[in-house]
Amino acid sequence: AERLARRTDRLQGATVVISGTFTHHSRDEYKSLIEEHGGKNTSSVSAKTTYLLAGENMGPAKLEKATKLGIKIITEDEFLQLIGQEQ
């Protein structure tokens, strides 16, 4: 796995909550990727959340809260496109 510390500002000012399980990277790798691209990872959904990175079997409570607050829910592939790492 080639992980270059190639940092961008693509997630500057964004707060991302990770929920569920993923195919391409582990949750810890996603946390690192969020930070490498200028974003912040938090564990709970709030009005300050920019994106909910939704994997398989994600918690229904997080999904419901994100939907209620109008937070953009993105898939693993959409997240990777967002940071310029298309699979």
Side-chain angles (χ1 to χ4, degrees):
E2 49 188 50
R3 274 283 304 282
L4 306 174
R6 138 184 92 100
R7 300 171 194 283
T8 71
D9 294 330
R10 286 173 184 243
L11 297 176
Q12 194 64 50
T15 301
V16 186
V17 173
I18 300 171
S19 188
T21 55
F22 301 96
T23 310
H24 302 303
H25 298 283
S26 71
R27 289 170 67 121
D28 284 343
E29 285 175 324
Y30 276 116
K31 286 177 187 171
S32 300
L33 283 169
I34 289 164
E35 285 163 16
E36 280 170 26
H37 293 276
K40 226 170 48 177
N41 169 245
T42 58
S43 55
S44 60
V45 173
S46 76
K48 293 192 175 111
T49 306
T50 314
Y51 300 111
L52 174 60
L53 174 52
E56 297 292 314
N57 308 315
M58 66 171 295
K62 278 187 178 159
L63 184 59
E64 190 182 334
K65 192 166 183 188
T67 304
K68 200 177 287 179
L69 292 169
I71 288 153
K72 190 163 169 55
I73 297 161
I74 58 174
T75 64
E76 186 173 16
D77 289 336
E78 287 172 322
F79 174 80
L80 292 168
Q81 281 178 356
L82 199 64
I83 61 169
Q85 285 196 1
E86 278 89 0
Q87 287 302 314

